Amino acid sequence: MKTTISKLEKFTNDSAQVDAAAIQPLPNSRKIYLQGSRSDIRVPMREISQSDTATSQGVEKNPPIYVYDTSGPYTDPAASIDIRQGLPPVREQWIDERADTEILSGFSSSYSRERLSDPKLMDMRFHLKRPARRAKSGANVTQMHYARRGIITPEMEFIAIRENQRREQADLNGEGLLTRQHPGQGFGAAIQQWITPEFVRAEVACGRAIIPANINHPEAEPMIIGRNFLVKINANIGNSALGSSIQDEVEKMTWAIRWGGDTVMDLSTGKNIHETREWIIRNSPVPIGTVPIYQALEKVDGRAEELTWEIFRDTLIEQAEQGVDYFTIHAGVRLPFIPMTAKRMTGIVSRGGSIMAKWCLAHHQESFLYTHFEDICEIMKAYDVSFSLGDGLRPGSIYDANDEAQLAELKTLGELTEIAWKHDVQVMIEGPGHVPMQLIKENMDLQLKYCHEAPFYTLGPLTTDIAPGYDHITSAIGAAMIGWYGTAMLCYVTPKEHLGLPDKDDVKDGIIAYKIAAHAADLAKGHPGAQIRDNALSKARFEFRWNDQFNLGLDPDKAREFHDETLPQEGAKLAHFCSMCGPNFCSMKITQDVRDYAAQQGISEAEALQDGMAQKSSEFVDKGGELYSKL
Amino acid sequence: MKTTISKLEKFTNDSAQVDAAAIQPLPNSRKIYLQGSRSDIRVPMREISQSDTATSQGVEKNPPIYVYDTSGPYTDPAASIDIRQGLPPVREQWIDERADTEILSGFSSSYSRERLSDPKLMDMRFHLKRPARRAKSGANVTQMHYARRGIITPEMEFIAIRENQRREQADLNGEGLLTRQHPGQGFGAAIQQWITPEFVRAEVACGRAIIPANINHPEAEPMIIGRNFLVKINANIGNSALGSSIQDEVEKMTWAIRWGGDTVMDLSTGKNIHETREWIIRNSPVPIGTVPIYQALEKVDGRAEELTWEIFRDTLIEQAEQGVDYFTIHAGVRLPFIPMTAKRMTGIVSRGGSIMAKWCLAHHQESFLYTHFEDICEIMKAYDVSFSLGDGLRPGSIYDANDEAQLAELKTLGELTEIAWKHDVQVMIEGPGHVPMQLIKENMDLQLKYCHEAPFYTLGPLTTDIAPGYDHITSAIGAAMIGWYGTAMLCYVTPKEHLGLPDKDDVKDGIIAYKIAAHAADLAKGHPGAQIRDNALSKARFEFRWNDQFNLGLDPDKAREFHDETLPQEGAKLAHFCSMCGPNFCSMKITQDVRDYAAQQGISEAEALQDGMAQKSSEFVDKGGELYSKL
């Protein structure tokens, strides 16, 4: 962060460069692609290879482990990465083939045209040659619209393959390991079957899942958000008036997806919001979300009361034609709910919520987001932008959790969901906030009830207010729980929450904490195959395959660094102990020795222990010294 | 950690010194003492003072906040700290007055006598002048024994005052703030009343809580572990054969209690275990636990099969006369359970469990810990050492969670609890380990059932295996949940878990993660007054009292450091925004402005919004620019 301000001054198109750290493949990992029914459906996965297990009977092979890969072409050595060119438009052909969009001769937004014609911005602008698209007059280009007409799009097939990876692996490699798969409690009967393209279609058609995929963001690899799929995580990035540059924000995005961000929200509120967003979208293989009211407010110099529907509408179109995949719209902050926040400990803590509250009070009118909701739907369906209905009245403290204001807004979001669905526009619902553990399930259950099972997308929740500097942890607790209870996507919280703008390190810390929460939720829900990675890592740990243990983890670099602090020698990667306990006290080593002893006797360990134990035990003692201390 | 080895060589009594960082009072904090019914019952608390709130009507005072304080005399500027002298024996008079102990003329343990007479150890030894004590022949000196005879000890009164601090505050200061105290789900009816000395006595008498308080550790400030009290946390420290020194370990202890460790376990398995422990106990104001089998194993040079009851017994007496407050004893690892671990993913992962399994196999005999359990009880009651019945068969991976071996051992621990209680010996039960979220409650419920409500003391549990380097987070999730469900004490996990020996930084990271988990559990259980600190911090946050926000948090240093990365100027501590959003986008500022507007009008905000809204709103617009951007 110390260099932020200087970068802010210096950024130009010429100087733009990819973060070198973001394009190294992860250790012992290889990018592979699974092909679908057509050659341009190429679904990325990360293959992590493992070393062999040496046993007394010879070598046992350990299969490679395949994990969901959000990092896009960046970790593919075969891809040439130039952020001034942007990523290849992998979905362009599919959009084209549907023949329901038209190529625009220029931007429909007056603000976009203004920025494009401003010569002062020439140097910092991303130079996109591809023109924007829009639905043909009268057409609806949402994935939900296709799904409801029974069409399985290439996006849906891509997603089915992507979500199935671990399930396939469970069937192919994991048999023995999965016999103790614990029964989960979160999935319906459907998910216990294969995730088929038809299943994806059906979930999107009924609104239980969304595919955020703007026709102007063809660079994005399709992904799905819904509670019958893997739990996803979002990373918030973006500058503020006090810091960061375009270069910084692109780096945060590539860093976030490297460690597992499924979507990224650009929450910029500082300088050059339009250009910053363009750089991010053109280089992002994951869906990008925004909160358009932030930029609209900048257009009126921060004076909320001067916001108008026209300015907001132009902002929606501006961003939709850039390719934003989902918009947070705080249309549930209605005038009559604002007094409900008066007795709160922390009032309104959502930026968008407070802006709209201010507008409503100044005009003593119902919010224009609410009154123009159907107009907004018309824009959404012309580009396939998904709603992320904002929780402008979310609780900002434990004291305010699940209060009247929060629940009144949640009900309204449910009503708006029905309106959006009437237009076949995709919807997810944003949630808290700060909520103590005993109230989390109530919040989730009410969301499902009020919002007709539209996917829930929650920030945390933070389970206590008393740990500024550690809110990635206070909130990972709540996130894991609400993910288990049914939340489809978890919005990360970084250690800087409440204190400052996150830098790259904070982004990574937030992502890892949330990957933990999302994965813990997948395990608890009983997602088929989720446990494979745990099993593989635990087996590697038990067998002292140190490098495999590092590489199978969420952060191989950190695991290796911690291990090497005390045992840096490469030979220690083969040692049957670590500095935590030392050789004599390593329980894994002792258990291993017991197993090896049994194997040497040519019998199973259980037999060794149960049959003829007395006789075996005397042999055991005879050979004991050697068996236990030198193996 | 890099300097560990050199310190190991150099440590001498002369060079021993307190960690300067551990004796600074925390910012804006003052150590105060509440006096009980006699002048030597002085219960420590930390008073955090707050700055005033400036309102348009003048100055509003914010009351000081009182928090439970584990840091002992170290944070008291009035105390003179010299670790070569140790802490003052605050309980000595109480023990003396009971007149049921005798002063020993020398150590009862032959090993202790050996170490004491070894001239090579002279330089590194802590020179304790006070002789050891033991119960008079036939006497039982446990707190449980007193409790069952209806005696309320000074320790119990001390604890009642200590646990009540926040409750008192709730009644005295917090009225308004607590009206939205959320109903908790964890406490029985009793706790909804005041925690009286009689309540403490009754909980100890029935075994639902323990007071770990060895008569040879009079330096310790009494504390209680039970699910009708605040959730406690333990920090593991200790050297290994590969690193750390006595100086390092004392520093880890003082560091752990500074940040909130309620007890500390010395798990040393390296050099000079006896002397290291002595230095730790003499300087510890919190109870110290150990796993005596570790030292016993060192006495037979790491050869488990050579362990004997006699060696183990001498080790128990050695440690009991030093003042260890609780012993982890893996007496539930029975011979017939060992084959149940054969098909596990990760076998036996407890060090003590694997040592005993190895012994059982080598001898094909039932564990001597099990067969001599009543003999062990006799030792425990002569010094008031509490049992922490070890979970030697805890699961080391998600795959192994709640399996046959784990539950068979848990049942046995319940049987052993009944035997210990027959002797009026205090007992808590250790628990997992690695457990996915959906199995945590089952584990807790079975523990309550099998172990007759003896307090549960769990390591984590880790809710996934895939994040080495971040297991403080994987486990804080499980710890918060199991704390809510009824676990009385949470054993921390540091980021180094599975990878190496924790250093001071790791100790702090582990402590903070576990303070978060324990506090989240207290909130969820509805502990009276737990929410006061959340409310005070949130109010400070909302009012932009930055220093108060930092100081009320678990780690004021880190919060300030994060804030100052982008806004280091002292003036920014008064700013009504931070670098996260900048001035225009600060929702707290906007809400504040709305409230201030209402206050200026001399009406409540709710009225402002509900009555005469149209008229007010036009005034609002007239003054708008000024109200919103300059207040």
Side-chain angles (χ1 to χ4, degrees):
Chain A
M1 283 308 291
K2 286 104 195 168
T3 59
T4 294
I5 303 302
S6 59
K7 278 190 187 169
L8 187 66
E9 314 292 347
K10 284 189 307 193
F11 179 81
T12 66
N13 185 296
D14 285 343
S15 71
Q17 53 184 341
V18 71
D19 176 13
I23 56 171
Q24 300 300 317
L26 286 153
N28 261 31
S29 295
R30 191 167 69 100
K31 171 84 85 180
I32 66 161
Y33 297 93
L34 287 184
Q35 194 179 304
S37 64
R38 44 189 284 176
S39 65
D40 64 354
I41 296 182
R42 297 175 72 234
V43 182
M45 304 166 64
R46 176 156 70 101
E47 179 190 82
I48 308 170
S49 55
Q50 301 193 75
S51 54
D52 300 335
T53 304
T55 72
S56 47
Q57 270 107 44
V59 162
E60 180 199 334
K61 291 274 172 206
N62 291 298
I65 298 296
Y66 298 94
V67 301
Y68 193 104
D69 187 356
T70 58
S71 64
Y74 294 96
T75 50
D76 183 351
S80 80
I81 301 289
D82 177 355
I83 65 165
R84 292 174 306 172
Q85 298 302 316
L87 299 180
V90 292
R91 290 173 55 232
E92 190 166 37
Q93 179 66 18
W94 311 338
I95 296 162
D96 227 37
E97 284 175 9
R98 288 194 278 259
D100 51 4
T101 55
E102 59 188 5
I103 307 288
L104 299 174
S105 56
F107 288 115
S108 317
S109 147
S110 58
Y111 185 82
S112 295
R113 291 194 298 269
E114 226 175 81
R115 297 298 285 191
L116 189 61
S117 63
D118 186 341
K120 291 196 303 297
L121 300 171
M122 187 64 189
D123 276 356
M124 72 160 61
R125 195 179 292 134
F126 182 93
H127 301 300
L128 177 65
K129 280 142 206 123
R130 189 179 62 233
R133 281 176 194 269
R134 189 177 56 199
K136 285 180 179 163
S137 175
N140 183 330
V141 300
T142 72
Q143 294 286 322
M144 186 181 218
H145 186 67
Y146 305 135
R148 286 181 165 184
R149 288 188 300 162
I151 297 170
I152 294 174
T153 62
E155 285 88 343
M156 295 171 197
E157 182 186 339
F158 187 107
I159 285 164
I161 296 168
R162 200 172 195 185
E163 293 277 331
N164 254 326
Q165 292 167 8
R166 296 207 276 188
R167 171 59 188 246
E168 288 189 52
Q169 196 170 187
D171 287 4
L172 298 177
N173 296 329
E175 324 98 279
L177 298 185
L178 279 176
T179 47
R180 271 189 52 80
Q181 175 86 40
H182 301 291
Q185 304 172 344
F187 288 103
I191 194 68
Q192 303 302 332
Q193 309 303 314
W194 285 84
I195 294 172
T196 60
E198 166 55 22
F199 179 72
V200 173
R201 187 204 61 74
E203 290 286 295
V204 172
C206 75
R208 201 150 47 209
I210 69 168
I211 300 173
N214 185 322
I215 55 172
N216 289 308
H217 188 198
E219 299 91 345
E221 296 167 340
M223 56 79 70
I224 195 161
I225 300 167
R227 76 179 195 285
N228 286 328
F229 301 92
L230 291 165
V231 175
K232 304 303 188 295
I233 66 170
N234 171 69
N236 288 337
I237 62 169
N239 67 13
S240 79
L242 281 82
S244 196
S245 72
I246 291 177
Q247 178 74 45
D248 284 338
E249 294 309 318
V250 174
E251 285 191 12
K252 285 185 201 168
M253 183 274 289
T254 56
W255 201 231
I257 62 173
R258 176 178 180 80
W259 299 110
D262 290 291
T263 77
V264 166
M265 290 194 79
D266 172 15
L267 303 185
S268 289
T269 55
K271 288 191 189 164
N272 304 312
I273 300 181
H274 179 88
E275 289 69 28
T276 301
R277 183 189 314 119
E278 185 72 23
W279 279 95
I280 291 171
I281 295 173
R282 298 286 74 82
N283 285 290
S284 173
V286 304
I288 297 295
T290 62
V291 186
I293 201 81
Y294 294 174
Q295 193 189 3
L297 188 71
E298 281 298 284
K299 291 177 183 175
V300 294
D301 295 324
R303 290 187 290 270
E305 59 278 20
E306 295 185 9
L307 283 167
T308 63
W309 160 243
E310 288 68 28
I311 290 169
F312 187 72
R313 180 178 178 279
D314 191 73
T315 306
L316 292 183
I317 293 170
E318 169 202 347
Q319 298 197 9
E321 292 188 359
Q322 284 187 300
V324 173
D325 300 286
Y326 61 91
F327 286 152
T328 294
I329 309 261
H330 296 92
V333 180
R334 296 191 54 193
L335 182 63
F337 304 157
I338 300 173
M340 296 175 185
T341 66
K343 296 291 179 205
R344 279 183 154 185
M345 179 67 73
T346 46
I348 299 176
V349 297
S350 148
R351 295 191 285 194
S354 61
I355 293 164
M356 291 316 300
K358 192 167 166 180
W359 188 93
C360 291
L361 290 184
H363 297 272
H364 191 234
Q365 277 180 17
E366 191 56 272
S367 150
F368 59 79
L369 301 178
Y370 185 79
T371 56
H372 283 277
F373 194 74
E374 301 225 26
D375 298 322
I376 298 173
C377 291
E378 294 297 337
I379 298 169
M380 305 300 257
K381 68 191 187 195
Y383 303 95
D384 198 7
V385 183
S386 299
F387 275 113
S388 184
L389 291 176
D391 54 336
L393 303 180
R394 68 170 173 270
S397 55
I398 292 296
Y399 184 84
D400 293 339
N402 290 18
D403 74 350
E404 185 190 16
Q406 181 190 350
L407 298 180
E409 181 186 39
L410 187 61
K411 265 190 193 162
T412 303
L413 299 184
E415 293 158 19
L416 296 171
T417 298
E418 291 183 294
I419 296 171
W421 284 353
K422 210 177 59 187
H423 292 269
D424 295 352
V425 172
Q426 306 187 90
V427 179
M428 60 181 169
I429 309 289
E430 295 185 10
H434 296 235
V435 184
M437 283 193 287
Q438 83 277 16
L439 301 186
I440 292 175
K441 188 156 193 310
E442 174 188 71
N443 195 167
M444 182 72 232
D445 292 346
L446 289 174
Q447 189 274 338
L448 289 173
K449 181 178 158 197
Y450 293 163
C451 300
H452 322 290
E453 302 193 60
F456 205 22
Y457 165 34
T458 62
L459 180 78
L462 285 70
T463 53
T464 166
D465 306 340
I466 68 167
Y470 299 84
D471 279 326
H472 60 313
I473 301 179
T474 63
S475 68
I477 293 168
M481 291 174 70
I482 207 162
W484 172 26
Y485 298 149
T487 288
M489 186 157 77
L490 307 170
C491 182
Y492 84 3
V493 172
T494 79
K496 285 275 169 62
E497 185 74 16
H498 301 117
L499 299 169
L501 196 66
D503 61 18
K504 259 180 66 181
D505 290 342
D506 300 315
V507 166
K508 182 173 170 185
D509 282 343
I511 290 277
I512 300 286
Y514 273 68
K515 286 297 284 182
I516 289 169
H519 185 74
D522 285 335
L523 287 177
K525 288 167 75 177
H527 187 281
Q531 203 180 306
I532 292 171
R533 190 172 183 178
D534 297 78
N535 292 349
L537 192 144
S538 290
K539 184 168 186 282
R541 178 176 283 158
F542 191 68
E543 294 172 355
F544 300 100
R545 289 183 279 115
W546 287 100
N547 286 317
D548 290 346
Q549 186 193 160
F550 304 154
N551 297 340
L552 289 164
L554 291 177
D555 183 358
D557 302 346
K558 171 86 83 172
R560 173 181 293 268
E561 176 197 322
F562 278 177
H563 175 271
D564 288 2
E565 266 182 37
T566 37
L567 292 171
Q569 313 85 337
E570 210 38 43
K573 306 295 187 310
L574 305 171
H576 279 205
F577 56 86
C578 71
S579 66
M580 193 166 181
C581 308
N584 279 343
F585 284 90
C586 180
S587 61
M588 295 220 174
K589 178 178 183 324
I590 297 176
T591 314
Q592 193 84 309
D593 291 348
V594 172
R595 284 193 184 172
D596 289 348
Y597 166 75
Q600 281 179 11
Q601 306 297 321
I603 50 174
S604 83
E605 184 181 355
E607 288 171 317
L609 300 175
Q610 282 168 326
D611 303 332
M613 180 72 93
Q615 184 249 320
K616 297 293 176 200
S617 74
S618 70
E619 290 175 26
F620 195 82
V621 171
D622 294 345
K623 304 191 182 178
E626 281 175 48
L627 275 171
Y628 282 99
S629 52
K630 292 196 199 143
L631 254 194
Chain B
M1 285 304 292
K2 284 105 194 167
T3 59
T4 294
I5 303 300
S6 59
K7 279 192 189 169
L8 188 64
E9 314 292 347
K10 284 190 305 194
F11 179 82
T12 66
N13 185 296
D14 285 343
S15 71
Q17 53 184 341
V18 72
D19 176 13
I23 54 172
Q24 300 300 318
L26 285 153
N28 261 31
S29 295
R30 191 166 69 102
K31 171 84 85 182
I32 65 161
Y33 296 92
L34 287 185
Q35 194 179 304
S37 64
R38 43 189 284 176
S39 66
D40 63 354
I41 296 183
R42 296 177 72 234
V43 182
M45 305 167 64
R46 175 155 73 100
E47 180 190 81
I48 308 170
S49 55
Q50 301 193 74
S51 53
D52 300 335
T53 303
T55 73
S56 47
Q57 270 106 45
V59 163
E60 179 199 337
K61 291 274 171 206
N62 291 296
I65 298 295
Y66 298 93
V67 300
Y68 193 104
D69 188 355
T70 58
S71 64
Y74 294 96
T75 50
D76 184 351
S80 80
I81 300 290
D82 177 355
I83 67 166
R84 292 175 306 172
Q85 299 301 317
L87 299 179
V90 291
R91 291 174 55 232
E92 191 166 35
Q93 179 68 18
W94 311 339
I95 296 163
D96 226 37
E97 285 175 9
R98 290 193 277 260
D100 51 3
T101 55
E102 59 188 4
I103 307 288
L104 299 175
S105 57
F107 288 116
S108 316
S109 147
S110 58
Y111 185 81
S112 295
R113 292 193 298 269
E114 227 175 80
R115 296 298 285 192
L116 190 61
S117 63
D118 185 342
K120 290 197 303 294
L121 300 172
M122 187 64 189
D123 276 356
M124 72 160 61
R125 195 178 291 135
F126 181 94
H127 302 300
L128 175 65
K129 280 142 206 126
R130 187 180 63 233
R133 279 176 197 268
R134 188 176 57 198
K136 286 181 179 164
S137 177
N140 184 331
V141 299
T142 71
Q143 293 286 323
M144 185 182 220
H145 186 66
Y146 304 135
R148 286 181 166 184
R149 288 188 298 161
I151 297 170
I152 294 173
T153 62
E155 285 88 344
M156 296 171 197
E157 183 187 339
F158 187 107
I159 286 164
I161 297 169
R162 199 171 194 184
E163 293 278 330
N164 254 327
Q165 292 167 7
R166 295 207 276 189
R167 170 60 188 245
E168 287 188 52
Q169 194 169 188
D171 288 3
L172 299 177
N173 295 329
E175 325 97 279
L177 298 185
L178 278 176
T179 46
R180 270 190 52 80
Q181 174 88 36
H182 300 292
Q185 304 172 343
F187 287 101
I191 195 67
Q192 303 301 333
Q193 307 305 315
W194 286 83
I195 294 171
T196 59
E198 167 54 24
F199 180 71
V200 173
R201 187 205 61 75
E203 291 286 295
V204 172
C206 75
R208 203 150 47 209
I210 69 169
I211 299 172
N214 186 322
I215 53 170
N216 288 307
H217 187 198
E219 299 91 347
E221 295 168 339
M223 55 80 70
I224 195 161
I225 301 167
R227 75 179 197 285
N228 286 330
F229 301 91
L230 290 165
V231 175
K232 305 304 189 297
I233 66 170
N234 171 68
N236 288 338
I237 62 168
N239 67 13
S240 80
L242 281 82
S244 195
S245 72
I246 291 176
Q247 177 75 44
D248 285 337
E249 296 309 318
V250 174
E251 286 191 11
K252 285 185 201 168
M253 181 274 289
T254 54
W255 201 231
I257 62 173
R258 176 178 180 81
W259 298 110
D262 291 289
T263 75
V264 166
M265 289 195 79
D266 172 16
L267 303 184
S268 291
T269 56
K271 288 190 189 164
N272 305 313
I273 300 180
H274 179 88
E275 288 70 27
T276 301
R277 183 189 314 120
E278 185 72 25
W279 279 95
I280 291 171
I281 295 172
R282 299 287 73 84
N283 285 289
S284 173
V286 304
I288 298 295
T290 61
V291 187
I293 201 80
Y294 294 174
Q295 192 189 5
L297 188 71
E298 281 297 283
K299 292 177 182 175
V300 293
D301 295 324
R303 289 186 292 268
E305 60 278 18
E306 293 185 11
L307 284 166
T308 62
W309 160 242
E310 288 68 30
I311 290 168
F312 186 73
R313 179 179 180 280
D314 191 73
T315 306
L316 293 183
I317 293 170
E318 169 201 345
Q319 299 197 8
E321 292 188 359
Q322 284 188 300
V324 172
D325 299 286
Y326 61 90
F327 287 153
T328 294
I329 308 259
H330 296 93
V333 180
R334 295 192 53 193
L335 183 63
F337 303 157
I338 300 172
M340 296 174 184
T341 67
K343 296 289 180 207
R344 281 182 154 186
M345 180 67 74
T346 45
I348 299 174
V349 296
S350 147
R351 296 191 285 195
S354 63
I355 292 164
M356 290 317 299
K358 193 167 166 181
W359 188 93
C360 291
L361 291 183
H363 295 274
H364 191 233
Q365 278 180 17
E366 192 55 272
S367 150
F368 59 80
L369 301 177
Y370 185 79
T371 57
H372 283 277
F373 194 75
E374 302 226 25
D375 298 323
I376 298 172
C377 291
E378 295 296 338
I379 297 169
M380 306 299 258
K381 68 191 186 194
Y383 304 94
D384 198 6
V385 183
S386 298
F387 274 113
S388 183
L389 290 176
D391 54 337
L393 303 180
R394 69 171 172 266
S397 54
I398 293 295
Y399 184 84
D400 293 339
N402 290 17
D403 75 350
E404 185 190 17
Q406 181 190 349
L407 298 180
E409 182 187 39
L410 188 61
K411 265 191 193 163
T412 303
L413 300 184
E415 293 158 19
L416 296 170
T417 299
E418 292 184 294
I419 295 171
W421 284 353
K422 212 177 59 187
H423 293 267
D424 293 352
V425 172
Q426 306 188 89
V427 179
M428 61 182 169
I429 309 289
E430 295 186 9
H434 296 235
V435 183
M437 284 192 286
Q438 83 277 16
L439 300 187
I440 292 176
K441 186 155 194 311
E442 175 188 69
N443 195 165
M444 183 71 231
D445 291 345
L446 289 175
Q447 189 273 341
L448 289 174
K449 180 177 158 197
Y450 293 163
C451 300
H452 322 291
E453 302 193 60
F456 205 22
Y457 165 35
T458 63
L459 180 77
L462 286 70
T463 53
T464 165
D465 305 341
I466 68 166
Y470 298 85
D471 280 328
H472 60 313
I473 301 178
T474 64
S475 68
I477 295 168
M481 292 174 70
I482 207 162
W484 173 26
Y485 298 150
T487 287
M489 184 157 77
L490 306 170
C491 181
Y492 83 4
V493 172
T494 80
K496 285 276 170 61
E497 185 72 16
H498 300 119
L499 298 169
L501 197 66
D503 61 18
K504 258 179 68 181
D505 289 343
D506 301 316
V507 166
K508 181 175 172 184
D509 282 343
I511 290 276
I512 301 286
Y514 273 68
K515 286 299 284 181
I516 289 169
H519 185 74
D522 285 335
L523 287 176
K525 288 166 75 178
H527 187 282
Q531 203 181 305
I532 291 172
R533 191 172 181 177
D534 297 78
N535 292 349
L537 192 144
S538 291
K539 183 167 187 282
R541 177 177 283 156
F542 191 68
E543 294 173 356
F544 300 100
R545 288 184 278 116
W546 287 100
N547 285 318
D548 290 345
Q549 186 193 161
F550 305 153
N551 296 341
L552 288 164
L554 291 177
D555 183 357
D557 302 346
K558 171 87 81 171
R560 172 180 294 268
E561 176 197 321
F562 278 178
H563 175 271
D564 288 2
E565 267 183 37
T566 38
L567 292 171
Q569 312 85 335
E570 209 40 41
K573 306 295 186 312
L574 305 171
H576 279 203
F577 56 87
C578 71
S579 66
M580 194 166 181
C581 308
N584 279 344
F585 284 90
C586 183
S587 60
M588 294 218 176
K589 178 178 181 327
I590 297 176
T591 312
Q592 194 83 312
D593 291 349
V594 172
R595 284 194 185 172
D596 288 349
Y597 166 75
Q600 282 180 9
Q601 305 297 319
I603 51 173
S604 82
E605 183 181 356
E607 288 170 317
L609 300 175
Q610 284 169 325
D611 304 332
M613 180 73 91
Q615 185 249 319
K616 297 292 174 198
S617 74
S618 68
E619 289 175 27
F620 194 83
V621 171
D622 294 343
K623 305 192 181 176
E626 280 175 51
L627 275 172
Y628 282 99
S629 52
K630 292 193 199 145
L631 252 196

